Amino acid sequence: EITVIDRASGNTIYQKQVDGYLRSVKPSPTNKSVMKVRLGKDSISPFDEFILDLSNNSVRYIISERDWFSWMPDGRFMLINIDTGNMRILNLPNSSTDKAEETTVGHLTVPEDRYMGDFNVSPTGKQILMIMNRRGTTSSEPDLWIGNIDGSAFEQLTETKLIASAAWSPDGHYVAYTTDTGSICSFGGCLGSC
């Protein structure tokens, strides 16, 4: 079930029951009825990712499984293609059958020993913050990378090998992140506190 509450009044604005397991709900920064969601049969099954409009119970955009998604501060959204690194900004279409207006803004070059994870566009709309995972290791060794909105100046920000999630401060000057110290476990033990 998805519920949107007006914090000032405490009133429920939208409430929708869905079949399946919802995860990674990310509300639009400009529209209280629109959000990006992932929906699967259960918590571990494959999922579909799309932009849902609760005002008319419609899917506004279906996100390809080969793209990573982030909202832009102005309500548009950015997609980065996993295979090509192409970075595009899209205007939200009126329905899933309408074609989204798309602008290519750059290219993200990923080091050969890494692969993309989730990312967020800064509140200023000028930078991205991405979790990058390492290839060829027993764990994914996730760290944060930061770069410009066009993919330039993309560089490693942390060296923890344990990043779980990250977020920008509202002014875009700071980054906060969590580490998962129990994420590197084997039969011989764990790194951190499992």
Side-chain angles (χ1 to χ4, degrees), residues 51 56 58-62 92-100:
I51 298 175
N56 58 13
S58 69
V59 172
R60 299 273 297 272
Y61 187 83
I62 298 170
L92 188 61
N94 292 324
S95 72
S96 64
T97 57
D98 291 343
K99 183 154 174 60

Side-chain angles (χ1 to χ4, degrees), residues 73 95 118 128 131 191:
S95 72
D118 202 13
I128 63 166
I131 296 175
L191 174 63

Side-chain angles (χ1 to χ4, degrees), residues 62-103:
I62 298 170
I63 300 163
S64 165
E65 65 183 25
R66 304 308 301 162
D67 285 325
W68 282 103
F69 171 96
S70 180
W71 287 111
M72 298 290 295
D74 61 6
R76 296 177 298 159
F77 57 98
M78 176 175 254
L79 297 175
I80 302 177
N81 186 272
I82 294 167
D83 302 313
T84 66
N86 288 339
M87 304 172 79
R88 297 126 39 226
I89 295 177
L90 293 85
N91 288 320
L92 188 61
N94 292 324
S95 72
S96 64
T97 57
D98 291 343
K99 183 154 174 60
E101 184 183 321
E102 181 175 311
T103 304

Side-chain angles (χ1 to χ4, degrees), residues 118-134:
D118 202 13
F119 81 103
N120 292 300
V121 174
S122 70
T124 63
K126 295 179 180 179
Q127 290 185 297
I128 63 166
L129 182 66
M130 179 178 278
I131 296 175
M132 295 287 287
N133 301 291
R134 189 175 301 278

Side-chain angles (χ1 to χ4, degrees), residues 6-194:
D6 179 344
R7 290 191 56 218
S9 67
N11 295 331
T12 299
I13 300 172
Y14 297 105
Q15 195 163 31
K16 178 171 174 52
Q17 183 71 37
V18 295
D19 292 328
Y21 186 84
L22 275 176
R23 55 187 158 201
S24 299
V25 175
K26 293 184 179 179
S28 163
T30 60
N31 186 331
K32 64 186 172 207
S33 70
V34 174
M35 57 199 61
K36 190 276 297 180
V37 298
R38 290 178 180 167
L39 179 64
K41 188 173 91 177
D42 54 44
S43 64
I44 59 171
S45 67
F47 56 84
D48 292 318
E49 191 168 30
F50 50 89
I51 298 175
L52 180 65
D53 189 336
L54 295 177
S55 69
N56 58 13
N57 293 325
S58 69
V59 172
R60 299 273 297 272
Y61 187 83
I62 298 170
I63 300 163
S64 165
E65 65 183 25
R66 304 308 301 162
D67 285 325
W68 282 103
F69 171 96
S70 180
W71 287 111
M72 298 290 295
D74 61 6
R76 296 177 298 159
F77 57 98
M78 176 175 254
L79 297 175
I80 302 177
N81 186 272
I82 294 167
D83 302 313
T84 66
N86 288 339
M87 304 172 79
R88 297 126 39 226
I89 295 177
L90 293 85
N91 288 320
L92 188 61
N94 292 324
S95 72
S96 64
T97 57
D98 291 343
K99 183 154 174 60
E101 184 183 321
E102 181 175 311
T103 304
T104 299
V105 295
H107 181 267
L108 189 65
T109 301
V110 177
E112 286 187 28
D113 68 332
R114 299 285 181 160
Y115 61 95
M116 291 182 214
D118 202 13
F119 81 103
N120 292 300
V121 174
S122 70
T124 63
K126 295 179 180 179
Q127 290 185 297
I128 63 166
L129 182 66
M130 179 178 278
I131 296 175
M132 295 287 287
N133 301 291
R134 189 175 301 278
R135 294 183 191 279
T137 58
T138 55
S139 74
S140 60
E141 297 184 4
D143 269 305
L144 288 179
W145 288 57
I146 192 168
N148 294 327
I149 198 75
D150 64 358
S152 64
F154 192 59
E155 61 186 12
Q156 190 167 348
L157 182 64
T158 65
E159 291 190 37
T160 69
K161 299 180 183 177
L162 299 169
I163 297 294
S165 64
W168 292 95
S169 65
D171 63 5
H173 289 221
Y174 305 97
V175 171
Y177 61 88
T178 60
T179 55
D180 183 356
T181 58
S183 68
I184 300 179
C185 297
S186 68
F187 293 109
C190 295
L191 174 63
S193 56
C194 295

